[in-house]
């Protein structure tokens, strides 16, 4: 167990953290082809859900996490502290992880600490590709997450399961995956988009202009993810101009030697019941 403190111990997981804590919730041997058993620890539980492989080798799945009341888990950038979810599959397994998607998070303030994550059950959809979908697929997966309350507990679980080629659509699994997909931010559209962005004041300020959904009167919540571990949360000088909203975001201290040219950052904007995510290309 690790006491919470205002530094990013998520970057330490490749070292002593993984060695010091036991693997919890190990699911041994082949199990059902759609769900793994729940792996549990003090702060909650998690499992994997899968659809059967499609003829083209694509597999849809989701990592389900259920924090216990009072506990939280994290978004892809956890904020001031925390561990983002990580999912991996066995080497030389003929399986590649193509994409992991992240539901819209919330900002959770705890004193001086600002977390970005989830205090309710959440499912992270993902997509795999298997080389030969005509044969049964044996999956070996490892999930690593953080669960925090007054302490932060790194939580790793290994799962093994067999998937059969598709013979119809499993209803319960499809409902879980469809519900997870519905929690994802939307792409830019004519009614909600990033319309302009520029670095000002010698790279110290990122100025953003957003087109907001019609009828938006409250200031949107904006989260910008830069280099790994660097997140912008504090918007200043926010101002409405018709259906547009402009704000400045202090960039803070970037990693030593970081060159922004050619890099891509991401922005998540939350306005009322809608959320939009897109990227910033610094060409």
């Amino acid at each position: 167990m690790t006491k919470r403190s205002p530094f990013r111990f998520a970057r330490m997981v490749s070292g002593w953290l993984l060695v010091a804590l036991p693997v919890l919730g190990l699911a041994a041997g082949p199990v059902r082809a759609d769900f793994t058993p729940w792996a549990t620890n003090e702060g909650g539980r998690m499992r994997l859900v899968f659809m059967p492989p499609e003829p083209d080798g694509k597999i849809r799945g989701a990592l389900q996490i259920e924090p216990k009341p009072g506990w939280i888990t994290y978004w892809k950038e956890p904020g001031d502290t925390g561990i983002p979810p990580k999912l991996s599959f066995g080497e030389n397994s003929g399986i590649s992880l193509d994409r992991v998607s992240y539901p819209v998070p919330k900002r959770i303030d705890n004193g001086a600490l600002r977390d970005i994550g989830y205090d309710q059950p959440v499912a992270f959809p993902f997509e795999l590709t298997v080389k030969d979908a005509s044969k049964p697929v044996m999956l070996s997966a490892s999930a690593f997450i953080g669960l925090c309350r007054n302490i932060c507990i790194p939580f790793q679980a290994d799962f093994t399961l067999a998937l059969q080629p598709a013979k119809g659509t499993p209803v319960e699994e499809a409902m879980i995956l469809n519900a997870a997909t519905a929690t994802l931010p939307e792409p830019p559209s004519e009614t909600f988009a990033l319309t302009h962005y520029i670095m000002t004041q010698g790279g110290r300020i990122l100025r953003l202009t957003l087109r907001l959904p019609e009828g938006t009167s409250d200031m949107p919540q904006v989260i910008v993810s830069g280099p790994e571990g660097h997140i912008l949360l504090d918007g200043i000088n926010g101002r409405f101009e018709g259906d547009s909203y402009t704000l400045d975001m202090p960039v803070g201290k970037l990693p030593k030697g970081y060159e922004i040219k050619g890099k891509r950052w991401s922005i998540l904007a939350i306005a009322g019941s809608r959320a939009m995510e897109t990227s910033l290309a610094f060409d």
Side-chain angles (χ1 to χ4, degrees):
M1 297 183 183
T2 306
K3 291 185 179 180
R4 301 192 64 190
S5 57
F7 64 89
R8 305 189 60 83
F9 68 90
R11 311 305 161 200
M12 303 166 63
V13 298
S14 61
W16 63 268
L17 200 56
L18 285 178
V19 176
L21 292 164
V23 174
L24 301 174
L26 182 66
V31 296
R32 292 179 56 187
D34 41 9
F35 298 97
T36 68
W38 288 102
T40 62
N41 83 347
E42 182 180 344
R45 63 181 188 170
M46 63 175 164
R47 70 175 178 180
L48 299 178
V49 181
F50 290 93
M51 295 291 287
E54 298 295 333
D56 62 358
K58 299 296 183 182
I59 300 174
R60 294 174 59 217
L63 169 62
Q64 283 188 294
I65 304 173
E66 293 187 355
K68 290 182 179 178
W71 292 75
I72 64 172
T73 194
Y74 294 95
W75 190 52
K76 60 184 176 181
E77 284 292 347
D80 290 332
T81 65
I83 300 172
K86 300 292 184 183
L87 190 60
S88 60
F89 292 83
E91 296 181 5
N92 304 318
S93 63
I95 298 168
S96 60
L97 177 61
D98 300 330
R99 179 174 65 178
V100 179
S101 300
Y102 300 87
V104 178
K106 64 187 295 185
R107 176 170 164 169
I108 305 168
D109 292 344
N110 183 11
L113 300 180
R114 302 168 301 175
D115 294 321
I116 307 297
Y118 315 89
D119 56 6
Q120 299 291 327
V122 62
F124 299 90
F126 59 82
E127 294 182 5
L128 308 173
T129 299
V130 60
K131 287 183 178 179
D132 188 353
S134 65
K135 300 178 181 179
V137 179
M138 182 62 69
L139 283 172
S140 295
S142 179
F144 185 78
I145 66 172
L147 291 167
C148 282
R149 192 176 186 178
N150 298 320
I151 56 173
C152 283
I153 302 178
F155 181 15
Q156 180 175 339
D158 295 336
F159 302 97
T160 303
L161 70 163
L163 294 179
Q164 301 294 330
K167 295 181 181 179
T169 301
V171 175
E172 185 177 359
E173 295 88 326
M175 291 177 64
I176 291 171
L177 291 175
N178 290 341
T181 300
T183 65
L184 302 180
E186 62 188 73
S189 65
E190 292 185 358
T191 60
F192 197 2
L194 175 69
T195 57
H196 186 258
Y197 59 96
I198 188 172
M199 284 288 190
T200 67
Q201 299 185 25
R204 294 191 297 273
I205 294 291
L206 174 63
R207 178 164 296 163
L208 305 166
T209 300
L210 298 160
R211 182 189 302 115
L212 298 179
E214 184 177 358
T216 300
S217 57
D218 294 331
M219 293 185 298
Q221 180 182 343
V222 178
I223 301 171
V224 175
S225 302
E228 184 178 5
H230 192 85
I231 190 167
L232 282 56
L233 293 170
D234 300 316
I236 58 175
N237 304 324
R239 52 204 181 273
F240 286 95
E241 296 178 6
D243 64 353
S244 292
Y245 180 78
T246 299
L247 75 160
D248 296 334
M249 303 198 78
V251 172
K253 187 175 181 180
L254 294 171
K256 185 176 181 179
Y258 183 79
E259 176 56 58
I260 196 170
K261 185 176 182 180
K263 301 295 195 303
R264 283 185 175 269
W265 293 9
S266 68
I267 173 175
L268 174 68
I270 303 171
S273 62
R274 294 178 63 182
M276 180 274 302
E277 189 171 30
T278 189
S279 61
L280 314 176
F282 297 99
D283 298 326

